[in-house]
Amino acid sequence: MENQTGHIDQIKQLNTGIVYRVIDQHGPISRIALSKQSLLAPASITKITRELIDAHLVKEIEFPVLGLRGRPAIGLVIESEGWQFLSIRIENGSISLALKEINTQTIVEQSYPFHVKGNDEFSNTLSSLISHFFATYSQHLERVTAISIILDGLIEPFSGVIYKLPDYDIDHLSLGHHLTEQTGLPTYIQPYVNTLALTDYFSFHAKRTAKNIIYLQIDDVVSAAIINNGIALDSHTRRTIYFGHGQIQNSHESCYCGGIGCLERSISIPAILKRIPKLFHLYPETSLLNEEINFDNFCLGIETEDPLCLHILDNIAQILAGQLYQLINIFGIELILINSPLNRVSSLFYPLLYQYCRSQCIHIYYQELHIEKSEITKKESETALIQQALYDGSLLIQLLQG
């Protein structure tokens, strides 16, 4: 009986999420059209929409129908006013807290320095900042539904555990459980690459023909997310993709993950800058010999065809392709979307990357492969986790239950 009850609950969650997603993406939409789009029976549509309307998550509006005269049709749209969540972004020794409506509108936002070390100081300081933020902006609070946290590190999103966060000396911190206990709110934690991928997918999937996509982040960390036939791969496997921590050849540098020779230690932006002075003896004519070693000067060197900078860029593309081609062959990848400061030199970087991928991929896949920039910013990705939790029904069910 318990198994049957669980099965029914899962179906209800799934169907509620489907209805909400279709209304969000196609509203205003009639109940008849909603039934066709969602592939759910009219009776199910009536029951689910009634619950969503009663909870003030969906509302009815009149809208004109082209080609039809008479009274306007009654359609359903998302009702987001008053429904809020707390968005938290952590990066580079700072933390940003924003109170947002679930339709992405920011109500108030505040940034703070965040220089903490160790599990206890990290979690306790974060809890204090959340309490301070809520107290400071209490006049803006209405129905706060959840907490969304985005940060880079070794993260297990489905359990809310941060395994490693090197800049903060984090080791196996159950942050999601801690914050839910402190606030009573469900807490969603993801690395930036996942939220960037979700935001891009929610925004542009209807316009794209590519269904198998790698979202690649090359910044202080190197990470990837995979959309396979329209579904985020880790949402099915419940296993995080640690792309930047695959071992590469001819590298013996230790990594904070505990491994040796990780991809991230060779092609992240800090790793690139670290390599430059080590190659001065091979390229004495480089302009960087008398310049400050920073990323702007590295890109300028590429643009002016500095031999050292071009060598490093070529090597980055070669190393990266050595990891990507296997994913391309396994998942039939059609599109690689890159979010990185290296996009500044994409006119040289992308052809190099494509060339090295092509030399290793099966020909029926490299012929269809495209490499493009991802235009989504980290700030624009703040709503992605809440949107996903609404679309899969997990957060909706909690809201409907009060």
Side-chain angles (χ1 to χ4, degrees):
M1 182 63 71
E2 289 180 1
N3 291 339
Q4 182 67 22
T5 302
H7 183 62
I8 293 171
D9 289 342
Q10 290 174 354
I11 292 174
K12 180 179 179 181
Q13 174 183 314
L14 176 63
N15 289 347
T16 304
I18 290 172
V19 169
Y20 185 92
R21 174 177 55 81
V22 173
I23 294 173
D24 192 25
Q25 293 178 343
H26 301 282
I29 184 171
S30 69
R31 285 173 172 81
I32 294 175
L34 178 58
S35 178
K36 292 178 180 179
Q37 284 277 358
S38 65
L39 302 179
L40 296 174
S44 297
I45 294 296
T46 299
K47 184 176 185 298
I48 293 171
T49 55
R50 184 188 300 120
E51 291 180 342
L52 292 174
I53 290 172
D54 289 344
H56 302 286
L57 289 161
V58 166
K59 63 182 178 181
E60 294 179 323
I61 65 168
E62 292 184 345
F63 70 103
V65 179
L66 294 178
L68 296 179
R69 297 181 179 181
R71 296 180 60 185
I74 300 297
L76 299 167
V77 295
I78 298 301
E79 183 175 5
S80 57
E81 185 176 353
W83 289 105
Q84 304 168 338
F85 72 97
L86 178 64
S87 168
I88 300 175
R89 289 184 291 115
I90 301 175
E91 57 180 335
N92 300 326
S94 68
I95 184 169
S96 174
L97 280 71
L99 183 67
K100 302 175 74 74
E101 289 191 344
I102 59 175
N103 68 351
T104 76
Q105 179 181 345
T106 300
I107 301 168
V108 289
E109 183 173 7
Q110 182 67 53
S111 295
Y112 308 90
F114 197 62
H115 302 288
V116 296
K117 294 293 182 181
N119 289 12
D120 291 341
E121 188 178 1
F122 186 98
S123 55
N124 292 337
T125 303
L126 181 54
S127 295
S128 297
L129 285 173
I130 292 172
S131 298
H132 174 74
F133 183 84
F134 282 156
T136 302
Y137 299 107
S138 58
Q139 70 274 24
H140 297 286
L141 301 180
E142 294 188 47
R143 291 170 289 190
V144 182
T145 62
I147 297 174
S148 163
I149 302 178
I150 315 172
L151 71 171
D152 276 322
L154 295 183
I155 302 166
E156 174 49 71
F158 304 105
S159 63
V161 173
I162 302 175
Y163 290 121
K164 293 289 183 180
L165 206 59
D167 292 340
Y168 299 98
D169 293 343
I170 299 301
D171 186 16
H172 287 73
L173 172 61
S174 297
L175 185 62
H177 178 72
H178 171 78
L179 290 181
T180 297
E181 276 198 334
Q182 294 288 315
T183 65
L185 298 172
T187 301
Y188 302 93
I189 304 175
Q190 289 272 15
Y192 277 105
V193 70
N194 287 21
T195 61
L196 291 166
L198 285 170
T199 304
D200 183 277
Y201 181 73
F202 291 149
S203 302
F204 303 115
H205 75 281
K207 302 176 184 178
R208 286 205 177 103
T209 57
K211 299 302 180 184
N212 302 319
I213 305 171
I214 293 176
Y215 296 86
L216 188 62
Q217 179 187 8
I218 308 172
D219 207 324
D220 289 345
V221 303
V222 176
S223 51
I226 299 175
I227 299 291
N228 183 233
N229 196 29
I231 304 295
L233 184 63
D234 62 338
S235 67
H236 271 335
T237 63
R238 310 290 287 184
R239 303 291 289 175
T240 306
I241 300 168
Y242 295 120
F243 176 75
H245 296 278
Q247 188 174 7
I248 62 172
Q249 294 181 352
N250 303 320
S251 176
H252 305 286
E253 188 172 355
S254 61
C255 179
Y256 61 86
C257 73
I260 302 293
C262 289
L263 176 68
E264 185 174 299
R265 307 301 281 182
S266 292
I267 69 167
S268 66
I269 301 304
I272 292 170
L273 299 181
K274 187 177 177 181
R275 289 174 62 190
I276 291 173
K278 296 179 179 180
L279 295 174
F280 280 164
H281 69 288
L282 296 176
Y283 296 90
E285 72 276 28
T286 177
S287 60
L288 293 183
L289 195 60
N290 300 312
E291 298 286 347
E292 180 183 356
I293 298 176
N294 57 44
F295 190 74
D296 285 340
N297 284 334
F298 171 68
C299 288
L300 183 61
I302 292 172
E303 292 163 354
T304 57
E305 299 184 354
D306 182 284
L308 170 58
C309 298
L310 291 177
H311 166 77
I312 291 178
L313 186 68
D314 182 85
N315 187 242
I316 293 168
Q318 188 173 5
I319 292 172
L320 186 57
Q323 302 295 309
L324 286 174
Y325 88 91
Q326 300 177 65
L327 298 178
I328 296 169
N329 283 347
I330 292 170
F331 296 106
I333 298 298
E334 303 153 271
L335 176 63
I336 299 174
L337 283 171
I338 299 179
N339 192 296
S340 171
L342 286 169
N343 284 347
R344 174 174 164 180
V345 292
S346 60
S347 61
L348 291 174
F349 179 47
Y350 290 6
L352 282 172
L353 183 58
Y354 179 82
Q355 171 190 327
Y356 285 118
C357 286
R358 174 174 175 162
S359 68
Q360 300 172 84
C361 294
I362 187 170
H363 75 280
I364 59 175
Y365 287 156
Y366 74 64
Q367 289 178 334
E368 300 175 347
L369 181 66
H370 297 275
I371 303 174
E372 299 176 7
K373 293 180 184 179
S374 171
E375 304 291 348
I376 304 296
T377 66
K378 290 180 177 179
K379 182 168 178 55
E380 289 172 332
S381 72
E382 287 180 334
T383 310
L385 302 188
I386 303 303
Q387 193 171 3
Q388 182 187 44
L390 291 168
Y391 283 5
D392 67 25
S394 57
L395 181 55
L396 277 176
I397 293 299
Q398 294 186 57
L399 300 183
L400 291 175
Q401 293 172 346

